[in-house]
Amino acid sequence: MCRKGLAIGDAKRCRQAEQTISSTVLYEDQATRFDERAGIPARAAEAAADALVAITGLGAGDTLLDVGAGTGSLSLPLARRAGRYVGFDRSPAMLDVFRARLVDAGLAAELVVADGNARWPVDDRAVSVIFCARALHHLDPEHVVAETRRVLRSPGGWLALGRVRRPLDSPKSVMRRQMRRLLAERGHPGRSADAGAEAVLAGLARRGGRREEPRVAARWTVEHRPADSIAAWEGKGGLAGIDVPAEVKARVLADLAAWAAERFGNLDAALPQQESLEITAIHVPIA
């Protein structure tokens, strides 16, 4: 726990370290189940890679850096398209799943255990394209901006973000929004993926970055039961990307189940849900 009376810079680094330890634990205990909860269809991952190539011109002579590579369900096609693929994640267990995927696919890639809030594991001016999906809300936006500008090649390169989008009235969105509301009422506001992403994009735009219009790479339909959301949150550490006391988590999920039973009528009802994968990219000039 961070001590009181630390200087501002030291206190910020201490909080980041605490968040890193907490988040690493959250993902270590769900690595083998992560794709069941948050996986993306293989065809959507391939379409996202195609969209990334079309936007950035990524090719055989380029290095791609994947921030928060995870289990590789979204990133495996990128390893086929880049001349050199470097992926890092702070969860060794998640990267173990990715390595198994690479072996099965007969692909070579560099996977590194590293923290996105520390120095990224590539040299200065070594990267043509940076890709990040579902990890940015764990990172300090100012640090992401600084590392992006450090690692991108001269005269410029790309930062591309992959984000899953759902209609606001979709079952999963409704459940997540209510879970966060109940959690915040108990003094534990979760992390916002979109707020972190927008802070990074705005920071790069202030330094001359040229943002492209978001591109929907793929759409698909799934069935989602309200009970699926509750089971997924029960099976992982913490809630909303943060660590919370066990009793708080239990109370939030119990209240959520009661609310959802009234809202949907049946927690086990299989409800259709539209999802899409959106690529947002910004070109960053490097002197």
Side-chain angles (χ1 to χ4, degrees):
M1 180 178 294
C2 296
R3 301 188 311 274
K4 293 182 178 180
L6 289 174
I8 293 175
D10 292 337
K12 181 178 180 181
R13 285 190 290 272
C14 183
R15 287 193 299 270
Q16 288 175 351
E18 288 181 339
Q19 291 168 359
T20 294
I21 293 169
S22 171
S23 298
T24 300
V25 172
L26 299 185
Y27 284 97
E28 284 293 284
D29 67 7
Q30 62 169 308
T32 58
R33 304 186 304 273
F34 182 79
D35 291 334
E36 296 177 14
R37 180 180 67 83
I40 290 173
R43 64 174 181 82
E46 292 287 346
D50 288 341
L52 188 72
V53 170
I55 294 169
T56 67
L58 178 73
D62 296 319
T63 294
L64 182 142
L65 178 66
D66 193 350
V67 179
T71 65
S73 61
L74 181 55
S75 301
L76 189 67
L78 298 175
R80 295 192 183 97
R81 289 163 172 79
R84 178 191 176 203
Y85 171 94
V86 182
F88 73 93
D89 198 286
R90 58 192 173 205
S91 167
M94 300 280 270
L95 291 182
D96 284 344
V97 177
F98 195 173
R99 287 191 185 92
R101 278 198 163 103
L102 289 166
V103 171
D104 290 343
L107 293 173
E110 300 172 42
L111 299 183
V112 183
V113 177
D115 175 16
N117 279 317
R119 183 181 173 90
W120 294 354
V122 288
D123 294 334
D124 296 359
R125 305 290 178 259
V127 173
S128 302
V129 178
I130 302 166
F131 180 70
C132 184
R134 302 182 295 194
L136 211 58
H137 59 297
H138 293 298
L139 306 182
D140 175 60
E142 293 180 6
H143 180 74
V144 173
V145 169
E147 282 297 280
T148 294
R149 289 170 53 79
R150 179 183 70 80
V151 305
L152 283 179
R153 67 184 183 184
S154 179
W158 293 88
L159 170 67
L161 309 178
R163 293 186 274 187
V164 174
R165 299 297 197 189
R166 304 177 184 93
L168 291 177
D169 61 352
S170 67
K172 199 167 188 177
S173 294
V174 170
M175 289 291 289
R176 183 175 296 277
R177 196 158 55 247
Q178 181 64 11
M179 180 271 287
R180 286 178 171 269
R181 183 177 296 118
L182 292 170
L183 190 61
E185 288 174 357
R186 288 161 175 80
H188 297 275
R191 294 190 180 99
S192 169
D194 281 346
E198 290 305 316
V200 169
L201 293 169
L204 292 171
R206 287 194 295 269
R207 294 161 175 81
R210 186 188 76 252
R211 184 170 173 175
E212 298 289 310
E213 286 297 317
R215 181 179 303 195
V216 175
R219 291 185 173 89
W220 63 94
T221 302
V222 297
E223 287 188 340
H224 185 77
R225 304 180 310 149
D228 292 337
S229 289
I230 295 171
W233 291 323
E234 286 176 338
K236 60 177 286 191
L239 282 175
I242 61 172
D243 195 15
V244 296
E247 62 273 15
V248 172
K249 176 180 175 179
R251 186 70 261 167
V252 166
L253 293 182
D255 289 350
L256 179 64
W259 177 88
E262 182 177 351
R263 170 70 169 75
F264 296 104
N266 182 358
L267 291 179
D268 291 314
L271 306 171
Q273 174 172 286
Q274 298 292 319
E275 298 186 342
S276 62
L277 183 58
E278 180 183 277
I279 303 295
T280 302
I282 186 168
H283 185 268
V284 182
I286 302 296

